Amino acid sequence: VGSEMCIRDRAKLNLKDLSQFQKALQQPLQGAVRIVLTEKDLNRVLQSESVKSQLQESLNRLIARKAGSTNIAYELKEPYLELLSDNRIGIKFKLSRAGFNQSPSRELAIAIKLGIRIVNGKTIEFVEPFGTVNQRPMSLRLLKGFAQGVGDRLDLEVLEANGILARLLQLKISQDKIELAGFARMETKEAEFDSIGSEFSSTEEIN
C-alpha cells in the first residue's frame, strides 16, 4: 500500500490514539508514506500551545542541566522555523525569565541553524549547528547539547514498543517545503501481545 499526504490542517495524534486504532485493526497495516510539509504547516504546529509547552519544558530541562540549578525557568516566545536549502533549517525564538516583567531588551533572542540527516533510517540527527544569543555567537557545547536533546526525541525506535515499525528512507529540505519518504508497519494489538508473550516464554526457557 502506498500513500501520499500533504498536511494542511492541524492534527493531534498521540500514543493513546494509536492504541485505540490498533485495537480496531483486523490484520497488520503497512505501507509506504510520502509526506510534504510547507514552512507554514510547520510553524502552525510549532506555535500551537501544546507544542510550545513541550518545547519550553525541554529547553528548561536543558538549561537547568547545563547551569546545574533547577531554579532557573524561562518562558518560550515567538518560535519560528525557517526552511533553508541543502537540508538545513533555521529556528528563531525568544526566552524570558518566567515570572519576571522584563523589557524586550532583557529578553534572550536565540537564532539557530542546523543541518539534518537520517541515521540508519530511524533517527533524525542534527549536524553542523550554529547559533547566536542576542546576535553573539553561542557556545558550541550548548549548541551540541540542544541538537542532541531534540534529536533524541525523534528516534523512531521508541515506537517499536507499541507495535509500530517506522523507517525514514528519504528526507529533502528546500526553501519552501520538507519532503519525507518512509515505510511504516503497525501490528494489531493481539499480535503485539503475542510477541510480548513469546519473549517471556523464551526468558523462562533460558532460566
Side-chain angles (χ1 to χ4, degrees):
V1 179
S3 64
E4 180 171 341
M5 177 169 52
C6 293
I7 297 179
R8 291 292 180 270
D9 300 312
R10 183 180 303 171
K12 293 182 179 179
L13 184 64
N14 55 39
L15 291 178
K16 184 178 179 181
D17 296 327
L18 291 174
S19 179
Q20 292 173 346
F21 183 70
Q22 279 178 293
K23 290 178 181 178
L25 286 178
Q26 299 299 314
Q27 60 184 18
L29 178 68
Q30 67 179 32
V33 180
R34 180 173 179 266
I35 301 175
V36 179
L37 298 168
T38 68
E39 191 172 279
K40 184 177 179 180
D41 296 329
L42 293 165
N43 279 302
R44 185 184 300 122
V45 174
L46 183 65
Q47 292 164 10
S48 67
E49 289 303 319
S50 59
V51 172
K52 276 179 62 178
S53 176
Q54 292 180 41
L55 288 173
Q56 181 171 301
E57 184 178 334
S58 297
L59 281 169
N60 277 321
R61 280 202 301 266
L62 174 63
I63 292 170
R65 187 165 65 247
K66 296 299 180 182
S69 172
T70 58
N71 296 323
I72 301 175
Y74 284 88
E75 180 183 357
L76 175 65
K77 296 181 178 180
E78 303 174 25
Y80 185 82
L81 186 143
E82 179 183 10
L83 299 181
L84 308 171
S85 57
D86 299 324
N87 276 13
R88 292 183 67 80
I89 62 172
I91 305 170
K92 296 179 181 179
F93 55 91
K94 293 180 180 179
L95 292 176
S96 63
R97 287 291 295 271
F100 285 78
N101 294 321
Q102 295 183 343
S103 65
S105 62
R106 296 293 300 277
E107 292 179 333
L108 299 178
I110 314 291
I112 299 173
K113 292 184 179 180
L114 305 153
I116 299 179
R117 68 183 180 192
I118 300 171
V119 179
N120 297 326
K122 55 190 176 183
T123 304
I124 294 178
E125 186 177 57
F126 295 94
V127 297
E128 299 178 357
F130 173 80
T132 60
V133 180
N134 292 344
Q135 300 184 342
R136 296 182 178 181
M138 188 183 296
S139 155
L140 184 58
R141 186 165 62 93
L142 184 61
L143 277 169
K144 288 183 176 180
F146 172 81
Q148 183 178 350
V150 176
D152 288 346
R153 299 175 68 88
L154 299 175
D155 190 338
L156 297 178
E157 275 195 314
V158 300
L159 298 174
E160 294 178 15
N162 293 281
I164 301 168
L165 176 68
R167 292 293 182 265
L168 280 173
L169 305 178
Q170 183 181 18
L171 182 149
K172 181 180 179 181
I173 301 176
S174 59
Q175 291 184 330
D176 60 343
K177 63 186 176 182
I178 291 181
E179 297 177 79
L180 293 166
F183 171 85
R185 177 183 173 87
M186 180 183 291
E187 299 289 349
T188 63
K189 269 297 180 183
E190 183 178 353
E192 183 184 344
F193 289 140
D194 289 345
S195 175
I196 294 173
S198 65
E199 289 181 11
F200 277 114
S201 298
S202 299
T203 303
E204 290 173 357
E205 290 176 4
I206 294 173
N207 293 334

